[in-house]
Amino acid sequence: TESSSPSSAPVSNFSEAPVAVPSTLPSASPSVSPYPTTVPTQSPSTKPSLSHSPTTVPSQLPSGEPSGSPSDTPTKAPATDNNKCYDTPNNWYDADGEDFNCAWYQQGNNCQLFGDSYKNFGKTANEACCGCGGGTEPVCKNIENWHDAGGTKYNCAWYKKFDRCELYGDFFENFGYTANKACCACKR
């Protein structure tokens, strides 16, 4: 006779399509299906998934091994001191106390609301804090031994004279830089 209750023995083969009604009893072993699930599980699996196609979302962590082949485009150079801004004076805080420092002003729109008030150490937050548009830039350094594609004569000292940065500073790239990127005199 046919029964409407689920069988107590696990099914060893699977159908070509998922069933419309799930079983109410757990199976003795994990089910095997050629179809991926449409709903993520509550906890991660302990084994990697076996996929023959790449993921569409990049990993948040680097892989344990190098890729083995160079990329087609160069990587960005690391930031240098030429790109840094420093809060000044160091460890600045406003007239209401140490809780109202540059880190506090950088939250939300505190710079806009309060940045021109509560002067301390001779400066407001908008003058002292990099996050508010203040602070100081470190001393600029020319890219060492740079000259443009025209030859060694056309170096940062040459560009510093007259209006050469304005006239030629975006041309004649060499070593990955134009004069407007390599020479302090051109970075105004």
Side-chain angles (χ1 to χ4, degrees):
T1 67
E2 285 188 277
S3 170
S4 63
S5 64
S7 69
S8 58
V11 177
S12 60
N13 56 2
F14 50 86
S15 65
E16 288 298 315
V19 294
V21 180
S23 169
T24 57
L25 297 174
S27 61
S29 62
S31 60
V32 179
S33 171
Y35 303 103
T37 62
T38 57
V39 179
T41 60
Q42 294 297 320
S43 60
S45 65
T46 58
K47 297 179 181 178
S49 59
L50 302 174
S51 174
H52 297 291
S53 59
T55 62
T56 58
V57 179
S59 166
Q60 296 298 314
L61 299 173
S63 63
E65 297 179 19
S67 65
S69 60
S71 63
D72 292 334
T73 56
T75 57
K76 288 185 176 182
T80 63
D81 282 347
N82 289 347
N83 298 332
K84 281 189 173 181
C85 178
Y86 299 93
D87 295 335
T88 183
N90 191 27
N91 299 317
W92 179 91
Y93 54 88
D94 77 14
D96 278 350
E98 293 181 21
D99 289 338
F100 302 100
N101 55 25
C102 289
W104 183 86
Y105 273 92
Q106 287 174 214
Q107 296 173 16
N109 59 352
N110 290 339
C111 291
Q112 293 84 3
L113 295 174
F114 311 108
D116 289 321
S117 305
Y118 307 101
K119 187 179 273 194
N120 197 22
F121 305 111
K123 295 186 177 187
T124 64
N126 287 345
E127 297 166 327
C129 304
C130 294
C132 295
T136 59
E137 297 292 330
V139 175
C140 183
K141 296 176 186 172
N142 294 330
I143 300 297
E144 192 173 342
N145 298 320
W146 181 87
H147 58 82
D148 76 14
T152 57
K153 171 183 175 184
Y154 304 103
N155 56 25
C156 292
W158 185 86
Y159 274 92
K160 188 175 181 177
K161 297 176 184 174
F162 310 110
D163 291 328
R164 292 174 177 163
C165 291
E166 188 175 326
L167 295 171
Y168 311 110
D170 287 322
F171 305 103
F172 312 107
E173 181 178 311
N174 198 22
F175 307 119
Y177 298 96
T178 62
N180 285 345
K181 299 287 184 189
C183 305
C184 293
C186 298
K187 294 181 182 181
R188 295 182 186 171

